[in-house]
């Protein structure tokens, strides 16, 4: 099998060193974690299939290093399954690659420490949100089908892992901005009365602009998937967005990553997610503590 994988990878423009590294990772994984047709799915000259397969390989190794014998796979279900304390964690991997770019500038220091503006390509924010949104909806639909076939259960911890490690020109801040895909936007409104300054938090659904080719214009795609009443997402416990690609990231596992929990999770589900001790940041609203303080103070800022 190692020779078959090496032969397949050699059909792509990959260095010998990187091929050997991938084959080593493949050899480290016990049978049953990657699906049986893993090598067959590497289609010659299809860079998309290469990215998806390598992503599965890298993510599987990432979790295997942490969970060892607790990790398994399922050909007819989610990519990875963890069995921890009599509870099952299902992880489905998706690897979006193509996204629109836009021009920006960064400050660089040249001779004599003079600062200069340098043009760079970065991911276009709206296009990025649309790709993540599409990835989420695709896998949400897949989980619903698995539930209908009793392959998974609503009692399971079901996670969608979106690996953006094969996208180009991603900035760290792009990942944080994905909160708008899963949660509502919160506006702070101030009111002054005899008692002082009262604070009201107004939540609004978030949207991304999508090209409407039929009407030659744009339409707004509603998001806020974990807080909007327009979607039934209870089956998904959370989304992991990370950039696992050791061929680019110096072969270390110090990747960027964030977990967006479903707002409709039970306390026990959230506690279980926390207990997994995954090496990713769990998203919290940047004003969470301020908002809690205001709510605990009956909406008052505390001064007149």
């Amino acid at each position: 099998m190692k020779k078959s994988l090496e032969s397949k990878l050699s059909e792509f423009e990959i260095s010998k060193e990187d091929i050997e590294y991938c084959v080593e990772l493949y050899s480290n994984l016990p049978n049953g974690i990657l699906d049986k047709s893993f090598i067959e799915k590497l289609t010659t000259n299809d860079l998309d299939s290469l990215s998806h397969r390598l992503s599965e390989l890298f993510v599987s190794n990432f979790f295997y290093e942490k969970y060892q014998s607790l990790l398994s796979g399922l050909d007819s279900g989610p990519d990875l399954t963890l069995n921890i304390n009599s509870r099952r964690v299902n992880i489905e991997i998706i690897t979006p690659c193509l996204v629109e770019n836009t021009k920006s500038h960064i400050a660089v220091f040249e001779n004599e420490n003079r600062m200069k503006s340098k043009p760079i390509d970065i991911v276009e924010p709206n296009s990025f949100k649309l790709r993540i949104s599409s990835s989420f909806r695709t896998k949400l639909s897949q989980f619903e089908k698995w539930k209908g076939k009793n392959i998974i259960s609503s009692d399971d911890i079901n996670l969608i892992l979106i690996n953006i490690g094969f996208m180009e020109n991603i900035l760290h801040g792009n990942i944080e901005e994905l909160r708008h895909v899963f949660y509502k936007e919160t506006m702070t409104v101030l009111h002054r009365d005899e008692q002082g300054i009262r604070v009201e938090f107004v939540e609004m659904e978030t949207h991304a602009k999508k090209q409407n080719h039929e009407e030659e214009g744009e339409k707004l795609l509603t998001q806020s998937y974990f807080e909007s009443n327009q979607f039934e997402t209870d089956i998904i416990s959370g989304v992991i967005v990370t950039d696992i690609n050791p061929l680019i990231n110096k072969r270390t596992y110090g990747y960027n990553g964030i977990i967006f929990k479903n707002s409709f999770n039970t306390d026990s589900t959230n506690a279980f997610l926390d207990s997994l001790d995954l090496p990713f940041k769990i998203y919290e609203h940047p004003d969470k503590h301020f908002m809690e303080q205001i709510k605990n103070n009956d909406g008052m800022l505390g001064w007149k």
Side-chain angles (χ1 to χ4, degrees):
M1 295 297 284
K2 293 196 305 184
K3 287 293 183 182
S4 298
L5 178 59
E6 186 175 348
S7 176
K8 274 286 187 180
L9 292 177
S10 65
E11 297 174 2
F12 297 88
E13 293 183 5
I14 305 177
S15 70
K16 182 180 179 181
E17 180 186 6
D18 287 342
I19 290 176
E20 290 175 351
Y21 176 71
C22 291
V23 171
E24 179 185 353
L25 291 185
Y26 180 81
S27 302
N28 289 341
L29 289 174
N31 291 334
I33 292 182
L34 296 173
D35 61 68
K36 296 176 182 177
S37 58
F38 176 80
I39 297 177
E40 295 173 12
K41 289 179 180 177
L42 280 167
T43 307
T44 305
N45 297 324
D46 186 346
L47 293 179
D48 203 40
S49 79
L50 175 66
S51 298
H52 289 304
R53 299 291 79 74
L54 291 184
S55 177
E56 288 180 20
L57 176 64
F58 298 153
V59 173
S60 297
N61 268 275
F62 178 88
F63 279 93
Y64 180 66
E65 285 199 351
K66 183 172 181 62
Y67 294 105
Q68 297 289 312
S69 62
L70 299 176
L71 185 69
S72 61
L74 189 65
D75 284 343
S76 58
D79 293 313
L80 300 172
T81 296
L82 292 167
N83 289 285
I84 302 176
N85 297 329
S86 301
R87 197 162 186 187
R88 189 167 64 175
V89 181
N90 302 308
I91 304 167
E92 178 66 4
I93 306 163
I94 187 166
T95 310
C97 299
L98 298 178
V99 68
E100 294 178 11
N101 287 282
T102 187
K103 295 290 183 182
S104 186
H105 290 80
I106 59 171
V108 295
F109 290 94
E110 295 188 338
N111 296 335
E112 301 179 359
N113 289 328
R114 291 181 179 177
M115 191 169 66
K116 182 179 179 181
S117 179
K118 178 182 177 182
I120 60 169
D121 290 326
I122 62 171
V123 164
E124 198 282 315
N126 185 74
S127 175
F128 185 46
K129 291 175 187 176
L130 283 175
R131 288 294 292 157
I132 299 302
S133 177
S134 174
S135 298
F136 173 77
R137 293 174 75 130
T138 296
K139 292 307 181 180
L140 171 62
S141 176
Q142 184 63 68
F143 270 103
E144 289 170 343
K145 291 176 182 177
W146 285 328
K147 181 184 177 183
K149 295 179 181 179
N150 294 320
I151 295 174
I152 65 163
S153 164
S154 297
D155 294 329
D156 296 342
I157 301 292
N158 298 312
L159 300 173
I160 297 173
L161 188 147
I162 304 176
N163 187 8
I164 59 173
F166 291 79
M167 280 186 179
E168 296 182 352
N169 306 318
I170 292 286
L171 300 178
H172 177 68
N174 293 133
I175 301 180
E176 293 280 348
E177 285 300 308
L178 293 177
R179 67 180 183 273
H180 299 303
V181 175
F182 301 105
Y183 305 121
K184 292 180 178 179
E185 186 70 57
T186 303
M187 287 187 62
T188 303
V189 181
L190 302 180
H191 304 278
R192 181 182 290 276
D193 56 27
E194 302 80 22
Q195 295 179 321
I197 299 176
R198 186 174 299 277
V199 180
E200 179 185 6
F201 298 112
V202 180
E203 293 185 335
M204 300 181 298
E205 291 181 339
T206 57
H207 303 83
K209 296 178 182 178
K210 185 176 182 180
Q211 194 68 31
N212 189 341
H213 298 288
E214 295 180 0
E215 300 179 8
E216 297 183 354
E218 293 179 337
K219 67 176 182 179
L220 292 179
L221 177 69
T222 301
Q223 300 189 308
S224 313
Y225 292 112
F226 286 157
E227 293 185 338
S228 173
N229 293 326
Q230 294 190 40
F231 309 101
E232 292 185 9
T233 61
D234 294 13
I235 195 172
I236 304 299
S237 308
V239 172
I240 301 171
V241 181
T242 185
D243 57 356
I244 298 176
N245 186 346
L247 299 187
I248 294 177
N249 296 337
K250 309 299 183 184
R251 295 185 182 153
T252 66
Y253 282 159
Y255 301 120
N256 294 319
I258 191 164
I259 301 175
F260 298 98
K261 293 180 180 178
N262 194 329
S263 300
F264 295 104
N265 283 349
T266 62
D267 290 342
S268 62
T269 293
N270 281 333
F272 190 88
L273 273 174
D274 294 340
S275 72
L276 292 177
D277 193 28
L278 294 172
F280 305 119
K281 172 184 176 182
I282 293 178
Y283 173 78
E284 286 188 349
H285 193 286
D287 297 323
K288 175 185 176 183
H289 299 294
F290 167 73
M291 294 166 66
E292 288 179 348
Q293 186 179 31
I294 294 298
K295 290 175 180 177
N296 291 335
N297 198 34
D298 296 325
M300 300 300 295
L301 277 178
W303 65 83
K304 295 185 179 181

